[in-house]
């Protein structure tokens, strides 16, 4: 059995950056009385700011798909800024990294409080190599259907797989 969470990485961040750069370039071209050089320069600046500063910051929460199976958890590794930029420019080349349940020491559930209601935000896996892996749950909570059931299922599943008696709940 396999269950997926969040949205899969695709070409949309790169295409949005190109459109943003073209819009800025066109605007500058028109404002500066048809100066093509200024339009191209400002368009490239807008493209690079969008694709190398803005999108990498939000990439894990926008395109942080992860999967859980009987044997492991697969996720996109966005641990460094360089990995995030590579994912934007080469989304089809980016492969998910898998962690076996044997390599997971423990996990925690991070929740946020909105309007006196606790909402799960993401799961943090403590891996035996010393790293923490954050798995986003917020995207699934926005979808229609019964997203709380998905979150409850994954919490119960990981708890059983790790033979953990309780789940450590952290407030964001």
């Amino acid at each position: 059995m396999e269950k997926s969470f969040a949205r899969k990485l695709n070409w949309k961040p790169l295409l949005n950056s190109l459109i943003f750069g073209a819009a800025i370039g066109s605007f500058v071209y028109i404002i500066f009385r048809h100066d093509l050089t200024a339009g191209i320069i400002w368009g490239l600046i807008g493209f690079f700011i969008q694709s190398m500063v803005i999108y990498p910051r939000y990439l894990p929460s926008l395109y942080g798909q992860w999967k859980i199976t009987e044997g492991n958890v697969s996720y996109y590794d966005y641990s460094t800024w360089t990995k995030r930029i590579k994912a934007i420019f080469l989304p089809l080349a980016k492969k998910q990294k898998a962690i076996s349940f044997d390599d997971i020491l423990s996990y925690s559930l991070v929740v946020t409080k909105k309007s006196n209601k606790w909402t799960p935000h993401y799961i943090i896996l403590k891996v035996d190599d010393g790293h923490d892996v954050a798995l986003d749950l917020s995207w699934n909570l926005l979808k229609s259907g019964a997203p709380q059931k998905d979150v409850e299922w994954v919490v119960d599943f990981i708890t059983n797989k790790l033979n953990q008696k309780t789940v450590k709940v952290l407030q964001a």
Side-chain angles (χ1 to χ4, degrees):
M1 176 177 60
E2 177 179 293
K3 200 160 191 124
S4 293
F5 292 84
R7 194 162 49 163
K8 186 177 181 180
L9 183 62
N10 57 35
W11 290 101
K12 194 170 181 180
L14 184 60
L15 292 176
N16 284 347
S17 298
L18 285 169
I19 292 168
F20 180 74
I24 296 293
S26 299
F27 180 74
V28 169
Y29 175 75
I30 292 168
I31 294 296
F32 288 110
R33 298 189 179 146
H34 304 292
D35 185 356
L36 185 60
T37 306
I40 290 172
I41 290 171
W42 282 101
L44 287 173
I45 289 170
F47 167 74
F48 283 119
I49 288 173
Q50 179 85 356
S51 64
M52 299 180 95
V53 177
I54 296 170
Y55 258 119
R57 181 174 180 180
Y58 300 105
L59 198 65
S61 60
L62 292 175
Y63 298 96
Q65 183 189 40
W66 56 281
K67 299 175 192 170
I68 191 164
T69 64
E70 283 294 326
N72 61 30
V73 176
S74 302
Y75 67 99
Y76 288 115
D77 183 11
Y78 295 133
S79 58
T80 65
W81 205 262
T82 305
K83 290 178 182 179
R84 293 177 187 194
I85 291 172
K86 284 181 184 177
I88 290 169
F89 284 94
L90 300 168
L92 297 179
K94 184 77 172 165
K95 302 295 180 207
Q96 287 192 323
K97 190 174 181 180
I99 301 174
S100 169
F101 283 108
D102 296 333
D103 297 333
I104 300 172
L105 299 175
S106 66
Y107 84 104
S108 305
L109 182 65
V110 177
V111 297
T112 56
K113 187 174 185 179
K114 293 181 184 176
S115 305
N116 292 331
K117 183 180 176 187
W118 294 99
T119 306
H121 188 61
Y122 54 93
I123 292 173
I124 298 177
L125 303 176
K126 294 224 178 267
V127 186
D128 61 3
D129 66 0
H131 289 91
D132 291 345
V133 176
L135 305 173
D136 189 25
L137 294 168
S138 60
W139 189 261
N140 284 61
L141 292 173
L142 296 175
K143 74 178 186 177
S144 61
Q148 284 80 8
K149 298 271 186 216
D150 289 342
V151 173
E152 289 173 17
W153 179 87
V154 78
V155 167
D156 290 341
F157 186 81
I158 294 173
T159 302
N160 290 334
K161 280 298 206 180
L162 297 179
N163 295 322
Q164 201 170 310
K165 301 249 187 264
T166 60
V167 178
K168 188 177 191 182
V169 178
L170 306 172
Q171 184 177 356

